[in-house]
Amino acid sequence: MKRIVFAVSYSLFLAACSPSKFDIASPVQQESIHRVEEMPNLPQPFKILDFNEIAKNYDKLVYDPNQTGEYWPLIWKDNSRKNFDQETFGIYTAMGDVRQGNEHYEGIFHESLASIGSVLGGSLVGINKSNQNGENYVGMLKNYFNSETKWNIMMNNTSPEVAQLGGGYARDWWYDVYPNVMLYAVADFYPEEKGYEPILRSVADKFYEADAVLDGNYDYSFFNYATMKPTKNWICAQEDVAAGHAYVLYSAYQKFQDPRYLEGAKSSLEALLNQKENRFYEILMPFGAYVAARMNAEQGTNYDFSKILDWTFDGSSVCREGWGVLVDNWNGYDVSGIVGSTVHNGGFGFLMNTFDTMWPLVPMVRYDQRYANSIGKWMLNAANASRLFYPNEIPDEHQTIPEEKVHTKGVIAYEALIKKAHYEQYEHLEAPVAIGDGMHWNKDNPKVSQFSVYGSGHVGIAGAIISKTNVENILQLDLLATDFYKEKAYPSYLYYNPNPEVKEVIISTGEQELMIYDAMQRAFIAKNITGSFTFKVDKENSSLLVLVPQDAEILEKDGKLYANDTVIDFRYSKVN
């Protein structure tokens, strides 16, 4: 095993390992996200969970129909054969939800936020969900493709019969769009899955046509994809759905290389960028930043997406008041970084939203490293605060039902953290309060419905992205984990140092001989590395390392830096 601390000058090294025509560019100047600047560098109390292990344990327990115990199992079979002539499955939205399971509504009521989300989460941590204990859970997701209603997209339920029991079906736009965002991610893991290609094509075609109908005006509560007509109701207009359209269409372009989808992705994104005010509604806004950064890198566009990032974080949404990212300390607990309402009962952050915001914003940095420090700092805060949703990680006096936590088996978290409880019986608890909305969904729902099966199923996003290093508060963030439909890429990681001094980080690199490229410095910083590598990260700064084969040919083309035919820096020649 060879360990190298790189100490010589960048220029001498590059001259030794690369063609001399490459001068070292200046380090990438950082762009700030104002809301992140207000977050603590060193959030307290500090602890980072092993989200990868939690995701694997969640999958092992929740996808086991033989689990015993009150409120278990959490999975059941649905043989209603809606949309496809096959058996499918349901997962509880919340523990003990009286609307769900085989014995209620013939087992039809289940939500794709739980089913697709947990299939994605499991896939992200390496579980083959298309062949798990003899079951193809990937194939079963097809029943959410609403062909019988002629919408011909994935939806949150399989049919309208029970859809009014729960969230959003055909009346709340994000609920109809986000299942398609999730399915496109799942499909990237299973390119050979039978029956998926027509569904993915149909979704892309529907979104392309819808964007053309909307013609830049997304000022609606939902869109009927059967009649292709937008509609307003009592729910907020959701202009950030344009980001969901753009994400799906750009993914479809990468998969099918149909130029219509690229055209639609640009049109949808531009509709969002042309908004004059913040319309962040639930989860889709940050996907617009990712698509913009990626298209700038890959398509040569020049979208200024800074306001999308500000809208995601700053809590200035004008319809869903205060929706954004929390920045606060409640009675000695830093809760900065979690996503939800910044104003409801003093602050109300949700587990699923926090995990799912990591999905687009971490890989965004690969395409635009100007935001490395901001996203690195936010991720440190978000990862730290995320543990407080789990009943075994937050003191009993800060949770509504500590006496019930045994039922979670260590893998089901509370749905939310709130500053002041929104149930009268829990108003005496001091913040932060671990809580959930389940008892508001149905008057007969038990107390344990505050435990969020659906939100906990998305933990694989954090599990795939976040790893620990030898320095407690310097995380290794995998920039490729949620970068779906990407071109060939070498392992790429972000390391943010929140400390007031330089830190030395040690990483494992494997047995292949490597060169190490730092996209923050725009320079190679080491060569002939095998086994492990030690490097220094400046105080309150980042390193963005790409692990490049030692024998790769390094060349610059069209402003990008390549190793062989693989881009390792999309902004190599950018002034900033």
Side-chain angles (χ1 to χ4, degrees), residues 184 199-209 248-249 252 256 261:
Y184 256 86
I199 291 175
L200 297 172
R201 279 279 194 182
S202 175
V203 169
D205 289 342
K206 283 285 188 177
F207 283 11
Y208 175 81
E209 185 179 350
V248 166
L249 286 166
F256 298 114
Y261 300 149

Side-chain angles (χ1 to χ4, degrees), residues 317-329:
S317 182
V318 296
C319 184
R320 196 168 194 182
E321 183 187 4
W323 203 255
V325 179
L326 278 68
V327 177
D328 213 341
N329 180 290

Side-chain angles (χ1 to χ4, degrees), residues 144-217:
Y144 288 105
F145 180 73
N146 276 234
S147 59
E148 293 175 0
T149 62
K150 309 300 182 187
W151 278 50
N152 290 324
I153 63 171
M154 301 294 288
M155 297 181 72
N156 195 40
N157 304 107
T158 59
S159 62
E161 284 95 319
V162 293
Q164 298 301 311
L165 293 172
Y169 183 96
R171 63 186 185 276
D172 192 350
W173 206 350
W174 84 272
Y175 269 113
D176 298 328
V177 169
Y178 198 50
N180 300 279
V181 173
M182 291 191 296
L183 187 81
Y184 256 86
V186 168
D188 195 32
F189 287 101
Y190 307 96
E192 305 302 320
E193 182 61 39
K194 184 178 179 182
Y196 259 43
E197 185 165 320
I199 291 175
L200 297 172
R201 279 279 194 182
S202 175
V203 169
D205 289 342
K206 283 285 188 177
F207 283 11
Y208 175 81
E209 185 179 350
D211 178 74
V213 169
L214 292 161
D215 193 24
N217 179 16

Side-chain angles (χ1 to χ4, degrees), residues 44 326-330 333-338 381 385 388 417 432:
Q44 298 296 325
L326 278 68
V327 177
D328 213 341
N329 180 290
W330 297 339
Y333 288 85
D334 282 312
V335 297
S336 294
I338 63 175
N381 278 272
L388 299 175
L417 292 174

